[in-house]
Amino acid sequence: MNLLIFGKRLVKTVIFLSTGDSYPYYVNLSPEILAHGAGVLYTGRVLTIHKLTKTLGGRTLLREAEMSINWGERVALVGPNGAGKSTLFRMILDEDSPDEGKIERDEYAITGYLPQEAGEPTDETILEIAIGITPEMIGLLRTIREHEATGDLSHPDFAHAQDQFTALNGYQLEPKAKKILHGLGFKTEDFNKPAREYSGGWVMRAHLSRLLVMEPDLLMLDEPTNHLDLISLLWLQRYLLNYSGAILMISHDRDFMDSIIETVIEIDPTRRASIPTREITVPS
């Protein structure tokens, strides 16, 4: 689906993956979205799903489903609990397989995924998680921090760690990560504390920061507002309005979703009847 924004209205489509039916979906664009996309034509597809069928526990969730997401497009995946939204996410991530059909991601696209819950926290600090650095970079950063704490800045190990960290673009990532962490509610004194000292919700914020620092071409978010307070939620909403990559989101937060998305795709295995065209006003 090519997208050309050139005026005050954008016509998209609501697609029911269970039936293949599609209906016009009209969105009144906010100034922020117009500013983001005015005069831009997206022609490539970062994700394509073709004739996808998936049965789980004797129930058909998807039958010959068709779906595509263009570079830079923002898509919401909606449907009742148990409809298959998370199952579709797992198949896109190669964590599950369809019964039939195929899923294709652009071979040059980087995909980033935020699940609903984080795993067990480790000894990584909040900042280390947000930077998304490799074990090698973690070792270098800790060497730098240790020498800075003792004031021993003339030691060869300190100079070597600095040179290596610079070569790996570590110093470019760190200020960006700190800015995003602040936006999601962290204080400066939180940055160098281990993640195991924080609740699961705060660890999820650190992992969300990591994805935003990474800026994947396809950003997949599963209920991203679950652990956010109002201030952090509003910050994330503004940040995603200016996000350059494609977004595929599962969310029950209608206000958050409608402020960001362009296309709604519904999964509802029980739906068989048509629905009328809907008009949704995006808050400005």
Side-chain angles (χ1 to χ4, degrees), residues 1-2 43-48 67-71 104-106 109:
M1 183 190 306
N2 291 340
T43 57
R45 291 177 176 177
V46 68
L47 175 70
T48 303
M67 168 180 157
S68 64
I69 299 177
N70 294 325
W71 286 81
E104 297 177 342
R105 294 198 304 269
D106 188 289

Side-chain angles (χ1 to χ4, degrees), residues 39-69:
V40 176
L41 177 64
Y42 300 106
T43 57
R45 291 177 176 177
V46 68
L47 175 70
T48 303
I49 292 174
H50 182 61
K51 293 189 177 298
L52 194 74
T53 297
K54 180 66 175 179
T55 301
L56 191 64
R59 187 164 62 100
T60 299
L61 301 177
L62 301 169
R63 181 179 291 111
E64 296 190 342
E66 300 280 342
M67 168 180 157
S68 64
I69 299 177

Side-chain angles (χ1 to χ4, degrees), residues 13-280:
T13 304
V14 177
I15 304 167
F16 295 97
L17 289 185
S18 55
T19 65
D21 297 328
S22 62
Y23 303 89
Y25 176 78
Y26 300 93
V27 179
N28 289 328
L29 295 178
S30 68
E32 290 85 354
I33 292 181
L34 280 170
H36 171 76
V40 176
L41 177 64
Y42 300 106
T43 57
R45 291 177 176 177
V46 68
L47 175 70
T48 303
I49 292 174
H50 182 61
K51 293 189 177 298
L52 194 74
T53 297
K54 180 66 175 179
T55 301
L56 191 64
R59 187 164 62 100
T60 299
L61 301 177
L62 301 169
R63 181 179 291 111
E64 296 190 342
E66 300 280 342
M67 168 180 157
S68 64
I69 299 177
N70 294 325
W71 286 81
E73 190 175 13
R74 291 98 176 279
V75 177
L77 194 62
V78 301
N81 290 334
K85 301 185 298 295
S86 295
T87 299
L88 180 57
F89 262 40
R90 288 197 299 273
M91 289 190 288
I92 293 171
L93 295 165
D94 293 328
E95 295 175 357
D96 198 352
S97 301
D99 300 329
E100 297 177 15
K102 60 182 179 179
I103 298 174
E104 297 177 342
R105 294 198 304 269
D106 188 289
E107 62 179 319
Y108 297 107
I110 297 172
T111 300
Y113 168 57
L114 181 76
Q116 287 193 35
E117 301 295 336
E120 288 296 319
T122 65
D123 289 331
E124 281 184 293
T125 68
I126 294 297
L127 182 58
E128 287 169 352
I129 291 176
I131 294 176
I133 54 181
T134 63
E136 177 189 4
M137 293 178 73
I138 290 175
L140 294 171
L141 185 58
R142 289 180 178 174
T143 298
I144 293 169
R145 294 283 180 265
E146 289 169 2
H147 285 281
E148 288 177 341
T150 60
D152 186 12
L153 305 184
S154 60
H155 196 284
D157 288 348
F158 176 74
H160 175 73
Q162 271 197 323
D163 290 342
Q164 291 296 107
F165 197 69
T166 300
L168 294 169
N169 293 321
Y171 285 113
Q172 295 180 20
L173 296 175
E174 187 170 341
K176 182 178 180 180
K178 288 179 176 179
K179 180 179 179 180
I180 292 172
L181 286 170
H182 277 305
L184 291 174
F186 286 98
K187 299 177 181 178
T188 301
E189 53 265 33
D190 296 321
F191 293 167
N192 294 316
K193 293 180 180 178
R196 53 181 162 76
E197 295 183 7
Y198 292 81
S199 68
W202 282 98
V203 174
M204 285 301 298
R205 294 190 194 203
H207 283 285
L208 175 56
S209 300
R210 181 177 190 157
L211 282 181
L212 299 180
V213 170
M214 186 175 75
E215 291 189 20
D217 302 303
L218 175 60
L219 178 62
M220 298 175 60
L221 303 173
D222 193 349
E223 300 292 353
T225 63
N226 273 359
H227 302 288
L228 301 181
D229 55 39
L230 179 59
I231 294 176
S232 299
L233 186 151
L234 292 174
W235 180 91
L236 178 62
Q237 181 176 294
R238 290 192 299 270
Y239 192 93
L240 292 180
L241 280 172
N242 295 308
Y243 189 77
S244 60
I247 299 173
L248 178 59
M249 178 193 308
I250 297 173
S251 179
H252 287 92
D253 189 329
R254 178 62 177 270
D255 291 337
F256 178 81
M257 184 178 70
D258 284 350
S259 69
I260 296 168
I261 60 92
E262 301 163 341
T263 303
V264 175
I265 296 178
E266 178 165 346
I267 301 180
D268 186 352
T270 66
R271 179 178 289 277
R272 289 294 180 269
S274 299
I275 64 166
T277 297
R278 296 186 295 160
E279 183 168 323
I280 297 176

